[in-house]
Amino acid sequence: MRHFVQEPVGGQTSRVNLRILATTDLHMNILPYDYHADREAGGWGLARTEKLIEAARAEAQNVILLDNGDSLYGSALGEGIAPCVENDISVHPMIHAMNHLRYDAVNLGNHDFDQGRDAVFDAVKNARFPVLTANAKIHENPYETTIKPYTLLRRQVVDELGFMHDLCIGVIGFLPPNSLQQAKIQTDDIVEAALRHIPEMKMLGADVIVVLAHSGLGADAHVPDMENVLRPLSRVPGIDAIIGGHTHQVFPVEDNDKIHPETDDNNTGLLNGVPTVMPGFWGSHLGIVDLGVEFGDGRWKVCYKAASLKAVKEHSTHTESTSATQSGSLESLFSELHETTREAMRASVGEIAKPLDNYFTLVGADSATRLVQMAMMDHARNCQRALGLEGLPVLAAGAAFKSGGFGGPDYYTSLPAGRLTQRSLSDLYMFPNSFELVKVSGAFLRNWLERSCSIFNQVFPSQRAVQLKDDGVPGYIHESVLGLTYEVDLVQPARFTPAGVDTGRENSRVRSLCCNGREVQDVQEFLLATTDYRVLGGGNYPTPFAEDILPVAAVEIRDLLSNYVARQNLIELDCAPTWRFSPVKDASIWFRSSPDGANAAPGYPWLRLTELEAKDARGFTRYELEL
């Protein structure tokens, strides 16, 4: 193809094809390796996405690469174990990887602030690309030169005839509102911030505007401070493409072919006519938006739009893939840190008497989460004594982060009896969430549990093999509360939608709610051990009043878990169920879990399980539970 830095004869402009590549929610998963299980991972890892990036770049001439946030934390790789060095400077591992892959701009997500604002700015200071957030109020000294609301990427692009043109690509970033209160950072509503900044970007010369919104699809109608807002955001004038994320879901549906849509639905990649992608999580997918733009009437106009996803392919083993990789790849670049991390994760911290697993967390049987809750409850009791609140019952809320779903049939926690290592603790609790202690009422607890069990579908008497929850609903939304016993009545409609929107219904799924064998009263007071994520409304859980959040020292759940395990000689758990489903006459539900769950099932004798399918198309076993 010819390349001339001039306009075609007669002022006629051929179409310029612009390709936008995107990742999201990498959570420090640079290599395709599960450090919790000490084995190669299937279906994710930025080192595998790298191959898709290379192929997608080779197919097009005008390409930019973007990331949509939550990249800095979430994997054991590089969590203070050893620094990466770039030009004799210590660099955060993910920034090192993104510099290597030549990212053009990166948005910040809420979990990028899990270690505080100073840690974020220390991490991104060596980025060779703009770092963005437009609705978090952090654009003051000394950080205003590091993080911007938006960037204008001025690029020379080639049209289909081989002529060169100047094109200004505006990229703006947003993160979920009200998600940074622990970092003491105020946020604005995403749609309102977009309405404010996008005309400004146009005025400064942006020809094409790409939105990096660390947010899910959400409802169609906009309400202030929506967490998942892509649908109403797509109606903001001037947006040419949207990259979504945050919910770890994929959009549009996976397809090996490009999609040139004419209508708006989950198969098209269009939201109100705007091409949109949500590229999964941990590098599982590469989002691709292709725009065709033509120059006319003094400005560039989009004349073609398509959105698609590419899923990574699995390799046989990490060793084989590393040896077969060129020296300039991410796997080569991080090979030394990889081995250092594996060694650090093998350090012994304690011992357990029986195996721990969470294969059946969605049906009330989860010994792995139980250990985390015990550690939280132990720490809460220490805080209780210091606060002089000994008279109140102490409870601990917890969820299984690793609960299958889009993570696949291996994405569960399973630890054998015997030695616990640092790897084990990271497997039990993956994220750097912090401990919070809240004074709550019985009414608040009931509402909390109603939100938890809202992810389950309704079941009527005599219905057989009803799917417990829809595939697109994350299992980690469901929480149990240690210190209570209760039943969940699936005959009742849920008080909340699976996304957490209050339906206004007065009915209750939570039955026989008791503490220490006595029925919980609405006005009764408790101390609830939970996390900063939940206190701030993560997962659209009810949020307590500020005065009910008790003043306790900041400590990560993983640290208090490590301290608890280290103090025990041998950990023995009482795995009796905190909750059960209420009986429903002649009814049953089915759910997906790992094939390995069959070996763990005898540890939960109250579960009446049968196998419906040993291995489905995704590798899961389908289990049926009698109600």
Side-chain angles (χ1 to χ4, degrees):
M1 180 173 283
R2 300 168 299 153
H3 297 268
F4 300 105
V5 186
Q6 63 182 62
E7 295 294 327
V9 177
Q12 295 296 315
T13 303
S14 180
R15 188 171 87 181
V16 169
N17 294 315
L18 174 65
R19 170 162 283 189
I20 303 160
L21 307 180
T23 54
T24 191
D25 294 272
L26 294 170
H27 286 287
M28 267 300 296
N29 286 281
I30 297 172
L31 299 182
Y33 202 84
D34 185 345
Y35 294 96
H36 307 136
D38 200 19
R39 64 187 178 196
E40 190 211 5
W44 46 264
L46 185 58
R48 288 183 178 161
T49 326
E50 177 182 20
K51 310 301 185 292
L52 300 179
I53 293 169
E54 291 171 353
R57 277 174 167 160
E59 294 171 352
Q61 281 194 299
N62 311 304
V63 183
I64 61 171
L65 175 61
L66 309 173
D67 182 77
N68 194 29
D70 276 9
S71 64
L72 299 177
Y73 304 107
S75 161
L77 187 71
E79 289 192 352
I81 293 171
C84 290
V85 178
E86 190 176 303
N87 298 326
D88 297 324
I89 298 173
S90 293
V91 180
H92 186 284
M94 183 54 78
I95 299 302
H96 188 42
M98 289 178 163
N99 285 342
H100 174 77
L101 292 179
R102 308 190 316 278
Y103 273 78
D104 291 277
V106 167
N107 187 29
L108 290 174
N110 52 300
H111 281 299
D112 291 321
F113 290 85
D114 280 348
Q115 299 291 337
R117 60 188 294 160
D118 290 339
V120 174
F121 297 116
D122 186 61
V124 305
K125 66 184 179 184
N126 295 309
R128 300 180 192 168
F129 43 79
V131 180
L132 311 174
T133 182
N135 67 320
K137 298 179 180 180
I138 56 175
H139 308 296
E140 70 277 359
N141 286 324
Y143 309 124
E144 61 182 4
T145 59
T146 305
I147 298 175
K148 299 288 188 182
Y150 56 81
T151 187
L152 301 178
L153 304 175
R154 303 185 185 276
R155 299 288 188 265
Q156 283 200 327
V157 293
V158 185
D159 69 19
E160 290 178 334
L161 296 178
F163 291 94
M164 301 290 290
H165 307 271
D166 292 325
L167 187 71
C168 182
I169 307 160
V171 184
I172 187 168
F174 303 105
L175 49 69
N178 298 323
S179 62
L180 304 182
Q181 294 180 27
Q182 286 299 109
K184 299 182 179 178
I185 297 174
Q186 293 183 331
T187 56
D188 291 332
D189 177 79
I190 291 177
V191 170
E192 291 178 2
L195 289 168
R196 183 170 65 251
H197 284 295
I198 287 175
E200 179 181 316
M201 296 168 69
K202 289 282 191 182
M203 185 180 65
L204 292 174
D207 301 308
V208 173
I209 289 184
V210 182
V211 171
L212 296 172
H214 194 76
S215 181
L217 292 171
D220 191 61
H222 173 249
V223 296
D225 288 342
M226 285 178 73
E227 179 181 4
N228 297 306
V229 74
L230 297 192
R231 294 187 189 278
L233 178 65
S234 66
R235 292 194 295 270
V236 173
I239 296 175
D240 296 301
I242 296 175
I243 313 301
H246 182 53
T247 58
H248 291 201
Q249 295 176 313
V250 294
F251 181 90
V253 293
E254 297 177 49
D255 197 318
N256 289 327
D257 299 318
K258 282 199 187 84
I259 300 169
H260 190 195
E262 300 298 335
T263 59
D264 289 355
D265 61 47
N266 286 347
N267 296 318
T268 67
L270 284 189
L271 292 179
N272 296 303
V274 179
T276 302
V277 292
M278 295 174 62
F281 63 105
W282 301 1
S284 63
H285 296 74
L286 178 67
I288 303 175
V289 174
D290 285 313
L291 299 179
V293 294
E294 291 181 342
F295 192 80
D297 298 327
R299 66 186 183 91
W300 291 95
K301 299 178 183 178
V302 174
C303 60
Y304 172 89
K305 47 196 172 186
S308 61
L309 294 177
K310 295 286 186 182
V312 305
K313 297 186 182 299
E314 298 185 15
H315 295 280
S316 54
T317 67
H318 181 76
T319 303
E320 291 175 9
S321 61
T322 301
S323 62
T325 303
Q326 296 180 353
S327 60
S329 70
L330 286 179
E331 286 182 323
S332 173
L333 195 65
F334 285 88
S335 60
E336 184 175 342
L337 181 57
H338 167 69
E339 293 302 330
T340 303
T341 302
R342 288 184 66 197
E343 186 62 33
M345 295 292 281
R346 295 183 182 125
S348 180
V349 291
E351 188 174 359
I352 50 176
K354 294 180 180 180
L356 303 179
D357 66 81
N358 66 356
Y359 296 123
F360 303 114
T361 184
L362 294 181
V363 292
D366 184 347
S367 55
T369 301
R370 177 66 57 87
L371 176 56
V372 177
Q373 292 171 310
M374 287 173 60
M376 293 173 67
M377 186 175 284
D378 179 76
H379 186 70
R381 289 193 176 109
N382 291 333
C383 296
Q384 179 186 34
R385 287 189 289 272
L387 293 167
L389 297 171
E390 288 89 340
L392 300 181
V394 177
L395 313 173
F401 291 116
K402 298 178 68 174
S403 55
F406 292 115
D410 294 330
Y411 191 53
Y412 294 90
T413 294
S414 180
L415 303 175
R419 191 170 66 101
L420 283 175
T421 63
Q422 286 292 348
R423 177 182 66 79
S424 308
L425 300 187
S426 294
D427 196 14
L428 286 164
Y429 205 91
M430 301 172 58
F431 295 107
N433 294 334
S434 294
F435 175 87
E436 292 283 1
L437 189 61
V438 186
K439 184 186 290 186
V440 299
S441 67
F444 183 94
L445 280 175
R446 188 177 294 276
N447 212 34
W448 183 283
L449 294 173
E450 291 289 346
R451 167 61 186 127
S452 173
C453 64
S454 66
I455 71 169
F456 301 138
N457 291 323
Q458 197 170 10
V459 181
F460 295 105
S462 301
Q463 284 188 318
R464 303 295 300 173
V466 177
Q467 187 173 5
L468 178 60
K469 74 171 186 66
D470 294 340
D471 290 338
V473 178
Y476 59 77
I477 292 177
H478 178 265
E479 285 210 342
S480 63
V481 177
L482 183 62
L484 300 176
T485 58
Y486 53 98
E487 291 184 355
V488 174
D489 185 0
L490 295 180
V491 173
Q492 298 297 318
R495 184 179 295 178
F496 297 86
T497 69
V501 178
D502 194 334
T503 65
R505 300 188 185 105
E506 295 298 326
N507 57 286
S508 176
R509 284 185 159 183
V510 178
R511 305 288 192 191
S512 304
L513 180 60
C514 294
C515 179
N516 296 323
R518 295 183 178 182
E519 184 178 354
V520 170
Q521 304 299 313
D522 282 353
V523 296
Q524 190 175 355
E525 288 189 329
F526 301 84
L527 295 181
L528 178 66
T530 181
T531 67
D532 55 341
Y533 176 70
R534 289 293 190 228
V535 162
L536 297 176
N540 282 334
Y541 266 71
T543 54
F545 293 114
E547 59 267 26
D548 292 328
I549 303 173
L550 300 175
V552 296
V555 58
E556 286 189 15
I557 302 296
R558 290 185 299 190
D559 289 338
L560 67 86
L561 175 61
S562 178
N563 293 336
Y564 176 77
V565 169
R567 292 198 307 271
Q568 312 301 312
N569 182 35
L570 177 67
I571 295 175
E572 299 190 58
L573 300 183
D574 175 8
C575 292
T578 294
W579 67 276
R580 302 172 185 256
F581 290 118
S582 299
V584 182
K585 184 176 176 57
D586 298 325
S588 68
I589 55 96
W590 73 266
F591 61 96
R592 290 186 177 91
S593 189
S594 169
D596 294 332
N599 298 323
Y604 309 105
W606 62 89
L607 294 180
R608 295 189 294 165
L609 293 174
T610 56
E611 268 189 24
L612 287 180
E613 186 178 9
K615 186 173 287 190
D616 65 12
R618 296 169 56 199
F620 287 93
T621 294
R622 293 174 65 224
Y623 297 91
E624 183 178 21
L625 176 72
E626 294 291 333
L627 296 177

